Amino acid sequence: MTWLSTLAGAALVLFILRDVFHTLWHPTRHGGLSRRVMRSVWRLSALRATRWRSAGIAGPMGMMTVVAVWALTVAVGWGLVYWPRMPEDFSYATGLDPAEHAGPVDALYVSLVTLATLGLGDIAPTSGWLRTLAPMEALVGFVLLSATVAWILGVYPALARRRALALRLSHVRRSPSSVRAIDSDGGAALLDGLASALSTITVDFLQYAESYYFYDGDENTSLPGQLGYASDLANRAASARHPDVRLSAAVLRTALDDLATVLDERFLRTGGTPEHVFSAYADDHRRSRGPGGPPPADGSGRS
């Protein structure tokens, strides 16, 4: 029983450390505990009657839930290591009866105090290897804290880049430019800039997949609501007379296809064309596909 509990506890700790590693430093397409928790919170937000309002906090709530699950699971894992060895291998402060403080709740308490690096000292390990193991748990607690900070510092800049691209597309869509204006050197530069930004967003979804579950309330900064226009823009520019515009349009189309592939493989599973993937992405984020089709001939840029 002692070694079974120890092995189960060690397995839980290693499972969480593996999940932290794959979440922050080596993301995989198959996801892990953090991805499943984020997806569950996202789907739960869609079931509420006030789905638009609840979706806005799905991302932050999902991250908080993931961090809580990480910490609690590690604490339970180390508690399973401590529990079979209480009270024999632990010293107790004056006034504490060892026989009354040797249950699973007490083991979890010792684990939480150690993980949080509080060092209260009312119950402390006395055997040699446990005295070595306890500081290792404190080190894991420090790793979890550092991982949480690194995660936040990585996800929110990725969200800012995504929103900036959506706003840029919104600017282009709302600007008084005609189809002929795109068929120029400036149009080629514009398409190149959009393709470059899309490539960055694709990498962000690979590195910080959890950013997918953040909802953008403003239509102009919501990428799901603007990708339809970007796809239409690439299709129109492909028939331009200027060779640089046609080349830039081809690059933009490739960037859109790559983004659609990542969205479909990691989140949506539609198996459809990029246009179908973008429509599913917009629907999942409660957005219309976004305005499409060429701008009017008078150059107003309104559709």
Side-chain angles (χ1 to χ4, degrees):
M1 179 62 184
T2 299
W3 288 108
L4 182 61
S5 177
T6 301
L7 290 175
L12 285 177
V13 173
L14 292 175
F15 173 72
I16 292 301
L17 292 179
R18 178 186 180 277
D19 191 66
V20 172
F21 175 77
H22 283 295
T23 297
L24 298 179
W25 299 294
H26 187 250
T28 62
R29 61 180 294 181
H30 302 293
L33 176 63
S34 59
R35 190 82 55 81
R36 292 184 177 91
V37 171
M38 294 289 293
R39 186 184 300 118
S40 297
V41 173
W42 176 256
R43 290 176 177 173
L44 183 63
S45 71
L47 298 178
R48 294 175 55 88
T50 55
R51 59 188 301 184
W52 290 80
R53 189 175 303 170
S54 60
I57 63 172
M61 285 298 298
M63 291 186 70
M64 290 175 58
T65 304
V66 169
V67 173
V69 170
W70 280 348
L72 183 59
T73 306
V74 167
V76 170
W78 240 280
L80 289 174
V81 176
Y82 297 147
W83 180 28
R85 296 166 176 83
M86 298 179 69
E88 292 82 4
D89 293 333
F90 287 80
S91 64
Y92 291 79
T94 304
L96 292 180
D97 185 358
E100 294 180 357
H101 294 84
V105 175
D106 300 285
L108 181 60
Y109 163 75
V110 173
S111 180
L112 286 171
V113 169
T114 306
L115 185 68
T117 66
L118 294 177
L120 298 181
D122 51 347
I123 304 177
T126 56
S127 65
W129 72 278
L130 280 179
R131 294 179 64 187
T132 303
L133 191 66
M136 292 179 61
E137 183 181 8
L139 182 61
V140 170
F142 180 75
V143 168
L144 287 178
L145 175 62
S146 302
T148 301
V149 174
W151 198 22
I152 294 172
L153 293 179
V155 168
Y156 278 92
L159 292 174
R161 290 189 289 269
R162 188 175 79 190
R163 292 162 181 165
L165 172 59
L167 187 59
R168 176 61 169 160
L169 287 168
S170 176
H171 289 162
V172 175
R173 175 173 59 83
R174 290 179 288 143
S175 65
S177 59
S178 65
V179 176
R180 290 188 297 273
I182 299 297
D183 198 357
S184 63
D185 291 337
L190 172 65
L191 297 176
D192 285 338
L194 293 176
S196 177
L198 280 166
S199 299
T200 300
I201 300 305
T202 301
V203 173
D204 284 339
F205 276 124
L206 292 171
Q207 183 66 40
Y208 302 106
E210 294 74 20
S211 64
Y212 175 90
Y213 303 105
F214 280 74
Y215 172 81
D216 299 310
D218 187 349
E219 180 71 31
N220 292 325
T221 59
S222 174
L223 187 61
Q226 302 295 334
L227 282 176
Y229 173 74
S231 182
D232 293 335
L233 182 63
N235 292 338
R236 295 199 306 271
S239 59
R241 290 177 296 178
H242 199 299
D244 289 346
V245 174
R246 293 198 301 272
L247 176 60
S248 297
V251 174
L252 177 59
R253 168 48 59 190
T254 302
L256 286 165
D257 291 347
D258 287 346
L259 176 59
T261 298
V262 170
L263 289 173
D264 201 40
E265 289 182 350
R266 299 208 170 203
F267 308 105
L268 298 169
R269 306 290 200 278
T270 68
T273 64
E275 284 70 21
H276 287 119
V277 173
F278 294 148
S279 294
Y281 180 35
D283 182 67
D284 197 29
H285 283 250
R286 293 92 172 165
R287 289 290 177 188
S288 64
R289 181 174 178 269
D298 61 2
S300 66
R302 309 289 179 183
S303 54

